[in-house]
Amino acid sequence: ASPSKNALTLPCVLVCQYRTCRKQGAAAVLAQFQHLQPQGWAIYRSGCLGQCGNGPMVRILPEDVWYGRVQPE
């Protein structure tokens, strides 16, 4: 589940898990973030972030920084 922007208490990482990003390896990216689980960060799967074709997409909140073509390494 994705958090609402008002509900954020920790910085969080949103990893798109919609169709195109999943085809481009987003499940492995999410799994790696969950495995590493950086202290003080929340990790969430998200729906489409509207950047299809640039995925896997990762969005960092509350700074609203976006990363495209993220790899699990």
Side-chain angles (χ1 to χ4, degrees):
S2 295
S4 70
K5 204 163 187 177
N6 295 334
L8 295 175
T9 56
L10 293 175
C12 72
V13 176
L14 303 177
V15 182
C16 179
Q17 295 297 297
Y18 201 63
R19 284 180 276 189
T20 303
C21 283
R22 283 190 66 85
K23 287 179 186 174
Q24 296 170 332
V29 173
L30 176 63
Q32 184 69 352
F33 273 110
Q34 290 171 331
H35 172 73
L36 295 173
Q37 189 62 54
Q39 186 174 1
W41 287 79
I43 310 299
Y44 296 101
R45 66 180 52 241
S46 78
C48 184
L49 295 173
Q51 299 293 315
C52 299
N54 294 318
M57 291 300 301
V58 172
R59 184 177 178 194
I60 308 298
L61 295 175
E63 292 86 357
D64 204 24
V65 176
W66 295 66
Y67 296 94
R69 296 183 175 87
V70 177
Q71 298 300 308
E73 301 83 40

